[in-house]
Amino acid sequence: MSQPPPTRTGLARAMSKLGYCSRSRATELIRMGKVKVNLVVRKNPEFPVVLKKDVIIMDDVSINQAPRIYVMLNKPRGLVTSASDELGRETVFSCFEHSKLPHLSPVGRLDKASEGMLLFTNDNVWADTITNPDTHLDKTYHVQINGEVDAQRLAQLKHGIEDESEHLAAKDVKILRTGEKNTWLEFTLDEGRNRHIRRLLEAFGIEVVRLVRVKIGMLVLGNLVKGQWRELTKYEVLKSREPQGVTPASSTRSDQSDTAGRPRRS
């Protein structure tokens, strides 16, 4: 029985999928004659290539085997999750200035007003395992609200609402602590709609003061300083899809204690 023909991908898209640069930047480099495929210069961004067969060369080096990078950033409030912004607003990539990191893409998003864990990588397959709704990977947020909530309201937040033809609900929500004027809640979601928690709380007239993502699967923000980033350890990358509640192996493992986990400034 004959094998199906291999899937071909446009050259610019292939460079983006390999994590070398953005698709728009790849298009520029290709048109400038800086990219070779199997030692031949190609100036057509749509030139068809087979990722597992053709060798794409930039600056006389194959980019097919570019090292995979996995980064966790503690996103400050006020930054846009985008490589560039048409309104000129500061983006999360300002945190990586002078870092010498390769082109990375954000894994999911946090809106401008939100803070906390934001992942970046040039490994599209790994990114898909984090963002694919079918994996139902738990994401945990600490949310400061004005006022207080009771048990009935918590039950309503878990039951959810219908908003713009979408069902918005929390997998779990509990009170962390209560002050004189506000309350900190811990939300757990296993799917993420646009502004999911904010829209859910707004439906009940609850004002959000702060929203911080603190955990994705087994990845924990911990004491990473706001605006700083660190590379994930090999152990974290391998175990990042494990469901909540799985106890990691002892921290004495060498792949947990490697230098990739050290926080860095941009």
Side-chain angles (χ1 to χ4, degrees):
M1 186 174 180
S2 62
Q3 295 290 327
T7 301
R8 295 183 179 274
T9 305
L11 180 55
R13 184 166 182 265
M15 292 176 67
S16 176
K17 287 175 69 70
L18 289 169
Y20 183 79
C21 60
S22 68
R23 190 169 176 176
S24 59
R25 178 56 178 162
T27 297
E28 294 175 2
L29 294 171
I30 294 165
R31 288 175 174 164
M32 291 167 63
K34 294 183 176 291
V35 181
K36 297 178 182 179
V37 178
N38 302 326
L39 301 179
V40 178
V41 173
R42 300 295 182 184
K43 293 186 177 183
N44 178 8
E46 299 301 322
F47 180 81
V49 298
V50 178
L51 285 173
K52 293 184 178 180
K53 177 182 176 182
D54 295 318
V55 180
I56 303 172
I57 299 171
M58 181 69 197
D59 294 330
D60 297 322
V61 177
S62 169
I63 69 172
N64 296 62
Q65 301 300 323
R68 296 296 181 236
I69 305 294
Y70 310 87
V71 167
M72 177 190 297
L73 169 71
N74 186 348
K75 174 191 174 298
R77 190 190 325 205
L79 301 185
V80 179
T81 306
S82 174
S84 61
D85 183 69
E86 59 185 13
L87 300 178
R89 296 172 296 183
E90 188 175 6
T91 78
V92 291
F93 286 91
S94 65
C95 297
F96 301 132
E97 288 180 359
H98 314 301
S99 67
K100 297 183 180 180
L101 286 169
H103 169 73
L104 301 176
S105 297
V107 182
R109 304 179 67 83
L110 282 174
D111 63 38
K112 182 182 175 184
S114 298
E115 313 165 48
M117 185 192 300
L118 188 59
L119 302 174
F120 295 79
T121 188
N122 57 0
D123 183 344
N124 290 335
V125 174
W126 181 81
D128 286 344
T129 68
I130 301 297
T131 59
N132 191 331
D134 292 338
T135 63
H136 295 286
L137 196 66
D138 285 355
K139 299 175 178 66
T140 305
Y141 302 79
H142 289 176
V143 183
Q144 185 184 29
I145 63 169
N146 276 331
E148 299 180 1
V149 293
D150 55 19
Q152 180 181 4
R153 183 66 78 207
L154 295 178
Q156 291 172 330
L157 292 170
K158 286 190 282 188
H159 182 268
I161 63 163
E162 298 298 321
D163 182 60
E164 299 179 0
S165 302
E166 292 181 322
H167 182 70
L168 304 177
K171 179 179 179 180
D172 191 30
V173 58
K174 60 185 179 182
I175 297 173
L176 291 176
R177 58 185 179 274
T178 302
E180 293 183 3
K181 296 182 179 180
N182 56 64
T183 301
W184 278 95
L185 303 175
E186 181 176 87
F187 273 80
T188 301
L189 305 180
D190 62 359
E191 60 179 359
R193 312 286 187 182
N194 182 39
R195 300 182 68 251
H196 191 135
I197 294 175
R198 294 182 186 275
R199 289 162 59 196
L200 179 57
L201 290 170
E202 285 169 4
F204 294 100
I206 300 173
E207 180 184 358
V208 174
V209 180
R210 290 183 65 191
L211 192 155
V212 186
R213 183 157 62 197
V214 297
K215 191 174 183 181
I216 297 177
M218 59 79 68
L219 300 175
V220 180
L221 184 64
N223 59 2
L224 186 63
V225 175
K226 194 177 300 183
Q228 285 194 355
W229 60 272
R230 68 173 179 86
E231 290 186 45
L232 300 187
T233 65
K234 295 177 182 178
Y235 180 81
E236 287 176 320
V237 174
L238 290 172
K239 296 294 184 179
S240 56
R241 280 194 59 190
E242 283 193 353
Q244 303 278 60
V246 175
T247 303
S250 170
S251 59
T252 58
R253 293 171 56 111
S254 60
D255 57 357
Q256 279 187 282
S257 56
D258 61 27
T259 56
R262 294 177 184 172
R264 309 183 188 187
R265 294 187 184 274
S266 57

